[in-house]
C-alpha cells in the first residue's frame, strides 16, 4: 500500500482497489453526475423541504454579521459526518486518467483527524471541486457534499436505509424527496 504523507492518505491495496472498483462499477458516471439507474438517491439537508426561489434568496444569503446561520447548518451536516465516521468505514477516491481511460483510485486516511479534516462541510459557496466525496463500502453507498446545505447519498441496498435514516435524524437533518 502506497502512502502519500503530504496528503496523509494511504491508497488501499491492489486487491482492494479491484474489489472496490467492482463494487462501485458505476462510480465514474455518478461522479460526473450522469444518470445511473443502478443507484437510488437521498438528498440530505438542514432544511425540511426544497426551498423555493424566495426562500433560497432569504435563507441562503450568507450574512457577514454574527447572525449568520451558516455555522449551525454546517454543524448539523458535520454531525452526520461524525456519526458515519464512527459507525462505518469511510474511504475516498480520486479519478485518475491513463491511456484515455478514467478509473477511481480508492484511499483511506491515516488518522481520524485527517478523515475529519477532509470529511467536513465546506464553507458556503466553495467550488464543488473542493467538496468531499466518500465511499461507504459496508453500506454499498456513496456520500457527496452538495450545495446549499444539502448533501447526497447514492445507495443500492435498501437494507441499510433504515440505519442511515436513523443517523440523519440523530444529526437533526432531513431527507428531501424529489
Amino acid at each position: 500500500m502506497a502512502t502519500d504523507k503530504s496528503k496523509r492518505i494511504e491508497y488501499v491495496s491492489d486487491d482492494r482497489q479491484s474489489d472496490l472498483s467492482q463494487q462501485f462499477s458505476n462510480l465514474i458516471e455518478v461522479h460526473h453526475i450522469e444518470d445511473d439507474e443502478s443507484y437510488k438517491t437521498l438528498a440530505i439537508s438542514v432544511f425540511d423541504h426544497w426551498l423555493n426561489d424566495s426562500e433560497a434568496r432569504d435563507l441562503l444569503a450568507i450574512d457577514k454579521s454574527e447572525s449568520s446561520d451558516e455555522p449551525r447548518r454546517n454543524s448539523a451536516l458535520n454531525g452526520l459526518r461524525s456519526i458515519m465516521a464512527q459507525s462505518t468505514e469511510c474511504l475516498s477516491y480520486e479519478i485518475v486518467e491513463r491511456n484515455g481511460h478514467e478509473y477511481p483510485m480508492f484511499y483511506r486516511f491515516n488518522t481520524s483527524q485527517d478523515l475529519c479534516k477532509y470529511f467536513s462541510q465546506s464553507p458556503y459557496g466553495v467550488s464543488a471541486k473542493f467538496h468531499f466525496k466518500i465511499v461507504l463500502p459496508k453500506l454499498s453507498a456513496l456520500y457527496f457534499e452538495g450545495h446549499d446545505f444539502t448533501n447526497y447519498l447514492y445507495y443500492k441496498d435498501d437494507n441499510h436505509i433504515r440505519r442511515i435514516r436513523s443517523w440523519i435524524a440523530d444529526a437533526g437533518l432531513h431527507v428531501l424527496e424529489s
Side-chain angles (χ1 to χ4, degrees):
M1 290 180 239
T3 300
D4 183 338
K5 291 184 182 178
S6 68
K7 292 184 181 180
R8 299 187 175 121
I9 61 173
E10 181 176 295
Y11 289 91
V12 300
S13 69
D14 289 344
D15 288 341
R16 186 89 195 276
Q17 292 284 349
S18 179
D19 291 345
L20 289 166
S21 291
Q22 286 179 357
Q23 180 180 4
F24 296 104
S25 59
N26 299 55
L27 177 60
I28 300 291
E29 290 80 10
V30 175
H31 176 84
H32 290 303
I33 312 174
E34 297 173 8
D35 285 337
D36 187 315
E37 295 186 14
S38 66
Y39 283 97
K40 298 173 188 171
T41 308
L42 290 181
I44 302 164
S45 181
V46 298
F47 302 112
D48 63 0
H49 63 281
W50 290 107
L51 302 180
N52 63 37
D53 289 340
S54 174
E55 290 171 317
R57 277 191 302 278
D58 293 343
L59 293 172
L60 296 176
I62 300 301
D63 186 349
K64 298 299 180 194
S65 73
E66 293 177 19
S67 65
S68 173
D69 207 22
E70 182 178 6
R72 184 196 61 78
R73 293 172 183 163
N74 283 341
S75 177
L77 289 163
N78 286 335
L80 177 58
R81 177 239 345 137
S82 178
I83 293 168
M84 284 182 178
Q86 292 172 21
S87 302
T88 193
E89 178 183 35
C90 297
L91 303 175
S92 194
Y93 68 90
E94 61 184 338
I95 301 297
V96 179
E97 186 175 335
R98 283 204 184 124
N99 301 326
H101 297 292
E102 290 183 319
Y103 63 94
M105 286 291 294
F106 298 93
Y107 60 90
R108 77 177 100 249
F109 298 87
N110 288 329
T111 68
S112 59
Q113 292 86 1
D114 293 333
L115 171 62
C116 288
K117 283 180 193 173
Y118 174 77
F119 194 13
S120 296
Q121 196 67 28
S122 299
Y124 182 75
V126 168
S127 168
K129 82 178 193 179
F130 299 108
H131 289 181
F132 66 74
K133 50 195 181 297
I134 296 293
V135 176
L136 307 166
K138 293 178 182 173
L139 304 177
S140 296
L142 307 164
Y143 185 60
F144 296 149
E145 181 176 359
H147 294 285
D148 299 338
F149 305 101
T150 302
N151 293 336
Y152 297 90
L153 181 85
Y154 295 84
Y155 68 98
K156 292 182 178 185
D157 189 344
D158 289 327
N159 294 323
H160 300 297
I161 286 305
R162 186 174 309 154
R163 183 164 78 175
I164 293 169
R165 283 183 178 266
S166 169
W167 295 344
I168 293 166
D170 289 348
L173 298 170
H174 307 277
V175 173
L176 303 182
E177 306 295 337
S178 298

